[in-house]
């Protein structure tokens, strides 16, 4: 299926969504484009789309086996996967196990400080406002999500974080923090919340357990070099690195 013949439904910074082959489905296309600090820094990470497509498909499938409902349906090709169409809830859910990034900055906590328990933060998904940190009170007051949806997202976020922390630990990676997006899926059985978007080194912080080497998008955000290698390393440890990665990454 060529890209041109399909209707573009949405184009984001790192992904594009096209109309899917069946009603209620979308084709999620992973690009090599990377942005940071709300589009102020732009670049490409060669082969990232191929690798994130693999990593996200793999992790969403594992989560599905753990009875976490996700939008993922099936892989399509190197850069694309079929997903369920959902109405994205405009709230980014961040779970933190170790202080880093904006938490470290905001509260002056040294990066790498373990947190006594997983910390959940809500951010309003709004580029113009630079995705501000918000309280559940704001989410309810402005109707971005209902109370039962917030409870569900909170519960899923903790369960997913718990499962993924163990999965990454087994491959010598510490899950420092991670961002989730959820969506509403409407079917004959009513409305259900699904994990949507992607799970990848773009949307999490992953540190090598022994060396604390960063294996995630902070290598791009902070100009640390060896960006492609870090993404490949995560895919390799997960056992999902595409075989002829170099040839296919440019496809
Ligand atoms: P932060 O420390 O910059 O707030 O990021 C927390 C986590 O959320 C980190 O794993 C990266 C991820 N994240 C995104 O996926 N998208 C974003 O726009 C931002 C700011 C962070
Ligand atoms: N969402 C941020 C941006 O658009 C990227 C990030 O820092 O992860 O630039």
């Amino acid at each position: 299926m060529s890209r041109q013949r399909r209707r573009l439904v949405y184009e984001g910074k790192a992904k594009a969504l096209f109309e899917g082959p069946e009603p209620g489905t979308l084709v999620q296309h992973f690009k090599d484009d990377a942005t940071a600090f709300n589009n102020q820094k732009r670049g490409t990470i060669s082969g990232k789309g191929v690798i994130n497509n693999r990593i996200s498909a793999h992790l969403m499938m594992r989560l599905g086996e753990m009875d976490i409902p996700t939008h993922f349906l099936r892989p399509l090709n190197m850069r694309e996967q079929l997903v369920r169409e959902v109405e994205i809830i405009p709230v980014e859910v961040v779970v933190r196990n170790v202080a880093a990034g904006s938490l470290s900055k905001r509260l002056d906590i040294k990066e790498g400080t373990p947190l006594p328990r997983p910390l959940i933060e809500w951010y309003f998904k709004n580029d113009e406002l630079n995705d501000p940190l918000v309280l559940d009170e704001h989410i309810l007051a402005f109707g971005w999500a209902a109370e039962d949806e917030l409870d569900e997202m909170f519960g899923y976020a903790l369960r997913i974080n718990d499962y993924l922390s163990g999965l990454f630990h087994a491959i010598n990676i510490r899950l420092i923090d991670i961002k989730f997006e959820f969506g509403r899926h409407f079917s004959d059985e009513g409305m259900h919340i699904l994990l949507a978007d992607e799970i990848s080194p773009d949307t999490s912080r992953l540190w090598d357990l022994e060396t604390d080497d960063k294996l995630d998008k902070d290598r791009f955000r902070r100009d640390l070099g060896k960006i492609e290698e870090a993404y490949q390393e995560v895919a390799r440890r997960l056992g999902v690195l595409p075989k002829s990665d170099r040839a296919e990454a440019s496809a």
Side-chain angles (χ1 to χ4, degrees), residues 94 96 100-102 123 131 177-179 202-205 221:
V94 169
R96 300 180 186 272
S102 69
Y123 291 84
D131 297 349
D177 54 35
I178 185 159
K179 188 255 324 189
D202 270 12
T203 60
S204 59
R205 286 196 174 89
R221 294 190 191 98

Side-chain angles (χ1 to χ4, degrees), residues 73-131:
L73 289 169
R74 60 185 154 87
L76 290 175
N77 56 53
M78 293 303 285
R79 286 183 182 273
E80 295 177 331
Q81 51 184 248
L82 191 69
V83 300
R84 277 186 220 283
E85 185 171 20
V86 297
E87 181 184 279
I88 288 286
I89 296 173
V91 171
E92 299 192 351
V93 188
V94 169
V95 188
R96 300 180 186 272
N97 302 301
V98 175
S102 69
L103 175 73
S104 288
K105 220 169 167 179
R106 194 182 327 120
L107 301 179
D108 192 21
I109 300 172
K110 193 174 176 312
E111 282 212 322
T113 309
L115 300 171
R117 63 189 180 98
L119 196 66
I120 298 213
E121 293 176 337
W122 313 103
Y123 291 84
F124 178 39
K125 196 173 149 63
N126 184 312
D127 280 344
E128 277 113 82
L129 298 177
N130 213 355
D131 297 349

Side-chain angles (χ1 to χ4, degrees), residues 13 35-41 127 131 202 217 221:
K13 290 171 241 171
T35 66
F37 317 116
N38 202 17
N39 246 334
Q40 288 177 50
K41 181 182 171 88
D127 280 344
D131 297 349
D202 270 12
K217 197 172 152 190
R221 294 190 191 98

